[in-house]
Amino acid sequence: MNRYLFLLVFLLGGMLSFAQLPIPPWDVPADLAGKANIVELTPKSVSEGKNIFTHSCVACHGAKADGKGLILSADLISPEVQKQTDGAIFHKIITGRNQMPPFAAMLKESEIWAVVNYLRVLVNPTLVPPAKDVKIKLAVNDEKKIITVLVVSADSAKFPIPEMDVHFYVKRQFGLQSIGSKSNLTNVDGKVNFRFSDKIIGDTLGNIVLIAKIENNFLFNDTQTSVSKVWGTKLETQDATFNQRSLWGSRDKSPVWLLFLANGIILGVWLVILYVVFSLFRLKKSGKIFLK
């Protein structure tokens, strides 16, 4: 018995010691650390970097890049990370380590450099000018199911704004469903066209709420507009089947035998508890009689 106990203590101690081992430093060769950022730090590149970070990095590193995501990760806004060169951060992103996958096969080099720019601006927002307001205008072609977005400045001049990334969503009951490409840039006239897919499901009548949104942009503040159209595929429901009793139904639609079984188990547990309490009182009373 003592031998097995010793073996158990030894194994637990070894696991604890392994868990407490310090993470080895992540050194980057000097030639790779000295690699220059090929993407200029501009509001456009920072906006692109933020968009990529939101889709690919937030889950682990958190919305603030402080490492407080679903998995405890490196704090990318800490002085220890920020003092590293752009080349060193770039190299770590493309190679990955431990739970962090290598992004070399997932992202273009220019996209990774844009993420590096975004991480710099997170710590020092003064690297880009203050964000401005914009307005979104919509034009709809019902026959071809095409929506044209026009992005203009919010001042009285209403200048068209080119290379503005517009995101499209469909409103759902519990949030927004992203549709279309990840990036939809306006042309020199400040316009971008979006063709609605026939595969998107609406309500029982085919109604959908289409949202055009400008977000994750350092040069301009977030804004959005929406339009309701009968462009979606009609939602087909099986009311007859839904209203029948089934194992996957709500409580009022559960099978009768299941209701009796569940409530019978609960009732049985309570009866056992009451019997135990009653027996304890009887034992206590019997003890008093015996002592007399």
Side-chain angles (χ1 to χ4, degrees):
M1 180 66 181
N2 291 335
R3 183 175 61 182
Y4 292 119
L5 181 61
F6 174 78
L7 180 60
L8 179 61
V9 172
F10 177 77
L11 291 174
L12 290 175
M15 293 173 63
L16 182 62
S17 300
F18 179 78
Q20 292 178 344
L21 287 176
I23 299 176
W26 194 353
D27 297 325
V28 178
D31 57 331
L32 296 175
K35 192 173 182 179
N37 192 333
I38 62 174
V39 175
E40 184 182 358
L41 198 157
T42 62
K44 180 183 176 182
S45 70
V46 174
S47 176
E48 181 184 7
K50 182 178 181 181
N51 192 28
I52 296 169
F53 184 88
T54 300
H55 285 86
S56 305
C57 312
V58 163
C60 295
H61 291 284
K64 297 180 180 179
D66 54 4
K68 298 178 181 179
L70 298 177
I71 301 175
L72 191 61
S73 307
D75 182 357
L76 302 181
I77 58 176
S78 66
E80 290 76 15
V81 173
Q82 289 292 323
K83 71 181 180 182
Q84 300 177 34
T85 63
D86 287 359
I89 298 176
F90 174 85
H91 177 75
K92 292 180 179 180
I93 295 175
I94 65 172
T95 57
R97 188 178 74 160
N98 297 334
Q99 293 177 318
M100 177 178 174
F103 282 90
M106 306 179 197
L107 300 172
K108 301 176 183 177
E109 281 197 19
S110 60
E111 292 177 327
I112 297 177
W113 284 121
V115 172
V116 175
N117 287 342
Y118 169 64
L119 294 177
R120 298 303 190 195
V121 173
L122 273 179
V123 178
N124 186 8
T126 60
L127 294 174
V128 292
K132 300 178 181 179
D133 291 330
V134 292
K135 289 185 178 181
I136 303 177
K137 298 182 179 181
L138 299 180
V140 177
N141 185 326
D142 287 295
E143 183 180 353
K144 297 182 179 181
K145 293 185 179 179
I146 295 177
I147 184 169
T148 301
V149 175
L150 171 63
V151 182
V152 296
S153 58
D155 55 23
S156 58
K158 292 183 172 52
F159 287 114
I161 301 176
E163 295 186 339
M164 174 67 74
D165 193 3
V166 182
H167 300 153
F168 294 94
Y169 299 92
V170 168
K171 187 177 180 181
R172 297 303 188 191
Q173 185 174 3
F174 298 106
L176 300 178
Q177 175 190 351
S178 178
I179 57 176
S181 303
K182 183 174 67 174
S183 182
N184 307 277
L185 299 177
T186 57
N187 58 20
V188 292
D189 297 322
K191 295 181 179 180
V192 61
N193 294 326
F194 174 76
R195 183 182 292 275
F196 190 82
S197 173
D198 293 329
K199 298 181 180 180
I200 297 177
I201 299 175
D203 60 13
T204 54
L205 299 177
N207 295 305
I208 57 99
V209 177
L210 181 64
I211 297 174
K213 197 172 186 180
I214 293 173
E215 56 187 347
N216 300 333
N217 193 305
F218 274 81
L219 189 57
F220 301 98
N221 292 315
D222 291 358
T223 186
Q224 70 177 52
T225 188
S226 61
V227 61
S228 297
K229 304 301 297 183
V230 192
W231 287 358
T233 301
K234 293 182 180 180
L235 177 65
E236 296 182 2
T237 59
Q238 297 177 345
D239 293 335
T241 304
F242 180 79
N243 289 324
Q244 293 176 359
R245 291 186 176 273
S246 58
L247 288 174
W248 53 85
S250 56
R251 183 168 60 180
D252 60 326
K253 293 183 177 63
S254 300
V256 177
W257 64 266
L258 182 61
L259 293 174
F260 277 110
L261 177 63
N263 288 293
I265 293 174
I266 296 173
L267 179 61
V269 171
W270 275 108
L271 288 175
V272 171
I273 294 174
L274 292 175
Y275 177 76
V276 171
V277 173
F278 175 73
S279 299
L280 290 174
F281 275 111
R282 288 188 61 188
L283 288 173
K284 183 177 180 181
K285 186 177 180 181
S286 299
K288 289 181 180 180
I289 296 174
F290 179 77
L291 290 175
K292 290 180 179 180

